[in-house]
Amino acid sequence: MATQRSGRTRGLGSAALAGLAFTAGAFAAWTARQRRYEELRLRAERAERAESRRAALVDYQRLQLGLLERAIDDPELALVLSTFEVESPTQLRQHLFANALYANALFGYRIGVATLEELHGHLRVLCRSALFRRYWESTRPHRASLKDESEEGRIGRMMDTLIRDLDEADTEEWWVVGEPPTE
């Protein structure tokens, strides 16, 4: 015996399908919203970690420059940092000051106050000083252990290239010597 379906049953099936489609759409929208929320949350966490790292770097740099300042002011403390081949306490103080200048320039780049091109220009000015060059040469063994791919390793090589370019330049216009690096 065959049963007949009434129009009413078909209507409930359509309503159920419409409800199911609505639920699926709402779930898809909710899933997309959750995914977007998670992306934003992760981005905010990364930004917070970056800001925390930047703040820690600022604190570290402040401490480092404070220690260098004390060593520059006190010859007995300067001897603690005496890993340079120097001829006099005055030369040691000059080396420590040169180190502070270099560290400050590098720090400005690291926290985003200066671009790599601006750092290059600043270091070019420092390289004009014979005393700074003497410091740079005496710290060559210190830089030998830096990894080539490290930021400080790359900047050290940039500095070496800049000094070489300045030495080889046949122009008095030192401010145009050296190819500015690209980031």
Side-chain angles (χ1 to χ4, degrees):
M1 180 156 104
T3 27
Q4 274 190 319
R5 295 175 104 184
S6 70
R8 200 172 166 158
T9 308
R10 270 182 272 156
L12 284 176
S14 296
L17 285 176
L20 186 59
F22 175 78
T23 302
F27 182 73
W30 178 81
T31 302
R33 195 173 14 252
Q34 286 299 105
R35 200 173 308 124
R36 179 70 178 143
Y37 170 77
E38 185 63 18
E39 289 169 7
L40 291 173
R41 187 186 66 72
L42 290 173
R43 188 181 305 167
E45 281 180 9
R46 281 191 299 272
E48 189 176 308
R49 280 193 307 271
E51 184 55 35
S52 178
R53 184 182 187 299
R54 187 172 185 260
L57 192 55
V58 168
D59 289 342
Y60 174 80
Q61 185 68 17
R62 188 175 293 129
L63 177 63
Q64 186 68 19
L65 288 175
L67 292 170
L68 280 172
E69 184 179 286
R70 288 185 66 194
I72 290 168
D73 290 342
D74 186 337
E76 290 178 13
L77 294 179
L79 292 174
V80 174
L81 293 175
S82 183
T83 59
F84 311 112
E85 294 291 327
V86 293
E87 299 165 4
S88 69
T90 299
Q91 192 179 43
L92 176 57
R93 290 176 69 215
Q94 291 168 340
H95 275 50
L96 293 173
F97 187 72
N99 177 261
L101 290 173
Y102 174 72
N104 190 58
L106 183 60
F107 174 68
Y109 168 69
R110 282 182 170 157
I111 65 167
V113 173
T115 65
L116 188 58
E117 187 175 348
E118 290 167 331
L119 174 64
H120 184 265
H122 185 74
L123 295 177
R124 180 174 29 213
V125 172
L126 288 178
C127 289
R128 299 270 300 144
S129 165
L131 294 173
F132 184 85
R133 284 181 177 220
R134 193 174 306 139
Y135 153 78
W136 190 253
E137 186 54 38
S138 72
T139 58
R140 184 170 303 285
H142 299 101
R143 292 188 306 280
S145 64
L146 295 174
K147 293 183 179 180
D148 287 343
E149 67 277 2
S150 73
E151 181 179 60
E152 199 164 348
R154 288 191 319 270
I155 291 171
R157 282 191 311 282
M158 179 182 78
M159 188 76 152
D160 291 338
T161 301
L162 184 54
I163 290 171
R164 187 190 67 236
D165 290 349
L166 285 166
D167 287 343
E168 295 173 355
D170 59 355
T171 180
E172 293 298 314
E173 297 175 342
W174 60 267
W175 55 91
V176 296
V177 172
E179 194 65 33
T182 55
E183 299 242 10

